Amino acid sequence: MPDLMQAAVVEAFGKPLVLREQSVPVPGPGQILVRTEACGVCHTDLHAARGDWPVKPVPPFIPGHEGIGIVVALGAGVTIVKEGDRVGVPWMYSACGHCEYCLSAWETVCPEIQFSGYTRNGGFAEYILADPNYVAHIPDGLSAVQAAPIICAGITTYKGLKETGARPGEWVAVSGVGGLGHLAVQYAKAMGLRVCAVDVDDDKLAHAKALGAELLINARERDPITALKDGTGGGAHGVLITAPSLTAFNQGVAMTRRHGTCVLVGLPPGDFPLPLFDVVAACITVRGSFVGTRKDMAEALAFAADGKVKADIELQPLSAINDVFDRLEHGKVPSRVVLDFGSQS
Ligand code: NAD
Ligand code: ZN
Ligand code: ZN
């Protein structure tokens, strides 16, 4: 094991990440050390590095919560993973395991939850510490670079779609078909749903069409609410808003069919007004959804291992992270960038 590793570190909010060498962490009791093979870059990492949200990480910290790698060292007492296993270190780094939420398979809202790349150092580094109770187990046959986007973008959209309650044959609208959304389209198709894709970028919409979306709406060119209601005969049974834009949230609730469910997943900073009369009189459910449980993780990965869902990835080295952030901020990343730590070697 080397003493030093390369890492991309947020030293101050809103400033470029600093590429530097730091000590390879040593796993304490109950922890494991993972040698990173790949780590996806999520828009959440950008929010983290900018300090966008009310609950902020404390710099210096290493972002990244789509890290996949090989277990290379075990802390005292670890028995449930072994050296050589391929695991993912997801956004839900750990939870307490015994509160009412953990006991009812709602560990994602555990008050003691820790977040990779936010309250714990994450995957923009050659090694990651992890809690073996909460790592994702990567199925055989799924490469590290392909698995990376599944452990955040995939699980989040898969769970979010389940939370819409939409049934096979019904319509879902996916607002924002970028990193999360291009996987949402595929999960929705695999779940037997009809898909309307809404975005502000024609290339992203063309990609969504190739992935099976039937109805495509550029919200910059026409009113997405009217277009969606016309195209689906009254609105989508389920709406999944992944777009990091408050405009999309206002539109998303209005795109929901009577008695339908609008699931909020994107996390742009700020608030948006809820049209009270419309929500009440049309019996619309508006609910938040936050990644997914370990069970959701296994299911989301199984879709990918079965070839029903495939992330469209662009590989980049860790050293390109600031350029990747810049492109992500300006909507110039086609789907998902995955930082490749030499996974092919
Ligand atoms: P991304 O940048 O890859 O994709 C965003 C997409 O939204 C792009 O295709 C962009 O063109 C589109 N978009 C922008 N403005 C729009 C608008 N007004 N209407 C429709 N589409 C619009 O980002 P991502 O990695 O997919 O993440 C999206 C959001 O989801 C971020 O805010 C991120 O923090 C959040 N997120 C939430 C969870 C969760 O558990 N709830 C998990 C992961 C990410
Ligand atoms: Zn994420
Ligand atoms: Zn708990």
Side-chain angles (χ1 to χ4, degrees):
M1 197 84 56
D3 294 335
L4 294 174
M5 65 176 189
Q6 279 290 329
V9 182
V10 175
E11 293 192 339
F13 292 132
K15 295 277 189 297
L17 273 62
V18 178
L19 283 154
R20 67 179 199 205
E21 285 200 319
Q22 56 185 67
S23 301
V24 173
V26 176
Q31 293 184 316
I32 58 173
L33 184 69
V34 176
R35 179 174 51 75
T36 315
E37 297 176 288
C39 186
V41 182
C42 180
H43 211 108
T44 291
D45 298 313
L46 197 53
H47 295 308
R50 288 194 306 222
D52 272 350
W53 297 336
V55 178
K56 297 183 198 311
V58 182
F61 67 94
I62 303 171
H65 54 275
E66 289 186 351
I68 308 290
I70 302 294
V71 177
V72 288
L74 307 178
V78 174
T79 54
I80 57 170
V81 298
K82 56 184 190 313
E83 281 182 38
D85 285 356
R86 175 171 283 148
V87 297
V89 189
W91 177 247
M92 183 173 58
Y93 177 94
S94 66
C96 81
H98 51 74
C99 70
E100 67 178 276
Y101 308 104
C102 285
L103 292 179
S104 56
W106 274 101
E107 67 245 40
T108 47
V109 294
C110 171
E112 306 284 312
I113 191 169
Q114 299 294 321
F115 304 119
S116 299
Y118 208 83
T119 64
R120 293 282 189 266
N121 279 332
F124 293 0
E126 289 173 308
Y127 291 86
I128 328 169
L129 278 184
D131 181 330
N133 296 300
Y134 290 88
V135 291
H137 299 274
I138 309 305
D140 289 344
L142 194 60
S143 68
V145 292
Q146 276 300 327
I150 304 298
I151 74 163
C152 177
I155 184 179
T156 301
T157 52
Y158 170 62
K159 174 71 161 190
L161 287 164
K162 286 205 284 188
E163 290 288 286
T164 67
R167 303 169 76 94
E170 294 184 337
W171 281 100
V172 287
V174 179
S175 173
V177 283
L180 264 63
H182 91 287
L183 288 171
V185 172
Q186 298 179 58
Y187 279 106
K189 291 298 293 178
M191 292 156 87
L193 299 161
R194 302 183 73 181
V195 181
C196 169
V198 183
D199 206 291
V200 289
D201 182 298
D202 281 333
D203 290 340
K204 301 239 166 85
L205 289 167
H207 188 209
K209 182 177 185 194
L211 296 171
E214 288 177 63
L215 191 59
L216 308 162
I217 300 172
N218 187 327
R220 211 166 254 160
E221 287 168 6
R222 53 186 173 137
D223 172 21
I225 301 162
T226 313
L228 196 121
K229 287 197 161 157
D230 289 350
T232 59
H237 302 81
V239 175
L240 185 73
I241 310 178
T242 80
S245 149
L246 291 177
T247 314
F249 282 74
N250 287 315
Q251 295 166 338
V253 175
M255 293 191 299
T256 311
R257 203 181 189 90
R258 287 161 182 267
H259 198 231
T261 299
C262 181
V263 173
L264 316 181
V265 155
L267 273 167
D271 303 304
F272 75 102
L274 212 51
L276 192 50
F277 184 81
D278 296 347
V279 169
V280 172
C283 293
I284 286 170
T285 302
V286 179
R287 67 191 334 182
S289 188
F290 202 38
V291 288
T293 64
R294 288 167 287 180
K295 181 79 165 59
D296 297 316
M297 181 68 85
E299 293 171 11
L301 283 164
F303 275 82
D306 286 352
K308 297 191 179 94
V309 165
K310 188 168 190 283
D312 180 31
I313 57 174
E314 172 194 323
L315 298 181
Q316 292 288 348
L318 179 66
S319 57
I321 187 61
N322 287 311
D323 171 59
V324 172
F325 265 12
D326 192 54
R327 287 167 54 215
L328 196 57
E329 183 163 15
H330 295 101
K332 302 279 181 245
V333 168
S335 297
R336 201 55 145 195
V337 168
V338 173
L339 303 174
D340 186 355
F341 290 77
S343 60
Q344 324 298 336
S345 61

